[in-house]
Amino acid sequence: MREYRQFYIGGEWIDPTQPQSHDVVNPATEQVAGQISLGSAADVDKAVAAARQAFESYSQTTVEQRGELFSAILGEYKKRAEDLAAAVTEEMGAPAKLSATAQVGMGLGHLATAAKVLKDYPFEEDRGTTRILREPVGVCAFITPWNWPLNQITCKVAPALATGCTMVLKPSEEAPFSAYILAEILDAAGVPAGVFNLVNGDGPTVGAALAGHDLVDMISITGSTRAGVEVARAAAPTVKRVHQELGGKSPNIILDDDAFAKGVKIGAAGVWSNSGQSCNAPTRMIVPAARMDEAASIAKASAEKVTVGDPTGDVKMGPVVSEAQFTKIQGLIQKGIDEGATLAAGGTGRPDGLDTGFYVKPTVFANVNNEMTIAREEIFGPVLVILPYDSVEDAIAIGNDTPYGLAAYVSGADQDAVRAVASKLRAGQVNLNGAPVDLNAPFGGYKQSGNGREWGETAFADFLETKAVIGYTPAPVEG
């Protein structure tokens, strides 16, 4: 059993001020896999003080010095890749192959991307007689979730390190193992003491203390819209910068052409990945009304091919992260049945043969309308809902009829038609025809999906203040 009872503060592993044990449950076995300590406001004070002290020197480091640091971090990360993958599978149930490739790979990708952007980023530029300086925002606080732990930690930590900021991380208490290993990686790479700090805890205690702390200059949260609202409220009195990457209910519009079947297959597969626990999952498929039965049949076949089981083995889908999530998803599946949607595949209960573990059946609902609960609420599980449309304009209206705007998807044989639909969707990222992930593409949402953008060069802006030094280059004297 893993025991990670200390916090990483000021370059050292130290005991909590008021130890409070928390069990971390393996969702595949329902057994305790490890224990951590939950922190307090006093621990947050220590971590923020360490970050504040370190900022004085780290903010003055050169691009070259930070580039050398990234080289060391990347080397240490690769050494610990197997450890990271095993931790992710154990803490949140991602299948071993997914953990080793996508989960660990996304973390490595964000670090490598930030290192590349750093080399040529315009921290200074002249506009006439004025010099524009882009300087680190200061001490940053990060609150991250359990579903893609390394992805969501590194897409904050990497640009913060690159721009000269210092930071305090509160990872999810449900999936903290990989965050501890990442702290060990940063320590081994020689990240200066106090630049990166880790304090475990829950949202109402450690999260709220970070959000309201008067020595924190920026807070970035990835989580539910509800949690994002609470963080913004706590941050408001200190007028700190607030970055939010929140919920989603992403539309996936399948156009009526020869690529229809392919589009449905790709869309359904995107829902089963990571057990549907992705804020940008294409869970709301929108298809021509006349092809509803065809779409349901294709999606049903996709769901029935998914292997579900022990994530340490060769399966496509493991469990969802916790009993609470399992119960929530079961309730929403039942709600879909009660509200009259057509259950095409899956349903309530565990898959056959799985009596232990928080396993959910890959589920497909057809003939859904946008007023149903399953079309409105973020289920965060392997549940696909299929809605009909009468015209492309109708499909766009249905797609935009949501309080969220994190991601959207469009597929079709005519690239111009696909692009035209994409231009009318209110979402921060629109994927066309199953294009692969682009780590340089800005990631973030419209509406209640948040504020700000992560990933690639665009992410740097959220960690920088802009200073105009007027008269930096005096105008030549005439005559």
Side-chain angles (χ1 to χ4, degrees), residues 154-479:
T154 55
C155 74
K156 300 180 194 302
V157 168
L161 285 173
T163 54
C165 296
T166 59
M167 65 214 75
V168 180
L169 167 67
K170 187 203 89 65
S172 167
E173 66 272 28
E174 300 302 317
F177 298 158
S178 55
Y180 265 77
I181 296 171
L182 182 64
E184 293 173 347
I185 288 168
L186 297 177
D187 182 77
V191 172
V195 170
F196 172 86
N197 305 273
L198 182 151
V199 177
N200 266 315
D202 58 25
T205 305
V206 171
L210 286 169
H213 206 289
D214 58 359
L215 295 181
V216 169
D217 301 292
M218 171 191 174
I219 185 156
S220 177
I221 177 174
T222 299
S224 68
T225 297
R226 176 198 56 76
V229 169
E230 292 305 313
V231 163
R233 284 177 175 155
T238 52
V239 199
K240 59 173 54 69
R241 185 173 298 180
V242 177
H243 173 273
Q244 305 154 310
E245 193 266 278
L246 308 176
K249 191 70 176 177
S250 302
N252 181 14
I253 297 175
I254 315 293
L255 298 183
D256 189 4
D257 55 33
D258 292 342
F260 179 81
K262 180 180 179 182
V264 174
K265 288 178 183 177
I266 292 173
V271 175
W272 318 139
S273 177
N274 207 41
S275 299
Q277 299 172 123
S278 300
C279 50
N280 62 339
T283 53
R284 202 160 48 104
M285 185 178 288
I286 305 170
V287 305
R291 304 186 76 165
M292 173 60 72
D293 290 346
E294 181 183 354
S297 177
I298 295 169
K300 177 178 184 291
S302 174
E304 291 175 346
K305 289 179 182 177
V306 176
T307 53
V308 185
D310 180 358
T312 63
D314 186 19
V315 296
K316 176 68 175 177
M317 211 174 84
V320 296
V321 72
S322 66
E323 183 177 12
Q325 282 297 119
F326 176 83
T327 301
K328 174 192 171 186
I329 295 164
Q330 295 300 311
L332 285 166
I333 291 173
Q334 186 60 52
K335 191 77 168 178
I337 295 169
D338 294 344
E339 291 185 354
T342 302
L343 182 64
T348 56
R350 291 180 173 86
D352 292 342
L354 295 172
D355 299 323
T356 301
F358 307 126
Y359 296 99
V360 176
K361 296 175 184 176
T363 296
V364 178
F365 282 106
N367 299 304
V368 176
N369 67 63
N370 225 22
E371 302 306 312
M372 292 181 178
T373 303
I374 56 173
R376 307 301 298 178
E377 293 190 16
E378 185 176 32
I379 299 173
F380 227 62
V383 181
L384 171 65
V385 302
I386 309 178
L387 301 89
Y389 70 82
D390 295 321
S391 66
V392 173
E393 290 73 22
D394 183 36
I396 294 167
I398 294 169
N400 287 332
D401 181 15
T402 172
Y404 301 111
L406 183 59
Y409 299 76
V410 189
S411 68
D414 185 335
Q415 189 74 2
D416 288 338
V418 168
R419 290 171 179 159
V421 172
S423 70
K424 297 177 182 178
L425 291 172
R426 300 280 295 169
Q429 194 173 92
V430 184
N431 180 287
L432 307 184
N433 286 319
V437 171
D438 180 0
L439 292 179
N440 288 295
F443 186 80
Y446 286 27
K447 300 185 281 187
Q448 292 184 29
S449 287
N451 293 292
R453 293 294 182 271
E454 297 182 316
W455 300 21
E457 180 178 353
T458 306
F460 279 42
D462 274 345
F463 294 92
L464 295 167
E465 291 281 17
T466 301
K467 178 187 289 181
V469 184
I470 300 171
Y472 187 93
T473 304
V477 179
E478 294 184 4

Side-chain angles (χ1 to χ4, degrees), residues 64-95:
E64 290 73 24
Q65 288 172 322
R66 298 196 296 275
E68 290 174 1
L69 184 60
F70 267 90
S71 294
I73 293 170
L74 287 164
E76 294 295 332
Y77 190 100
K78 291 173 184 176
K79 289 179 187 177
R80 300 294 301 275
E82 291 185 7
D83 295 339
L84 288 166
V88 171
T89 294
E90 189 174 14
E91 68 191 357
M92 58 77 61

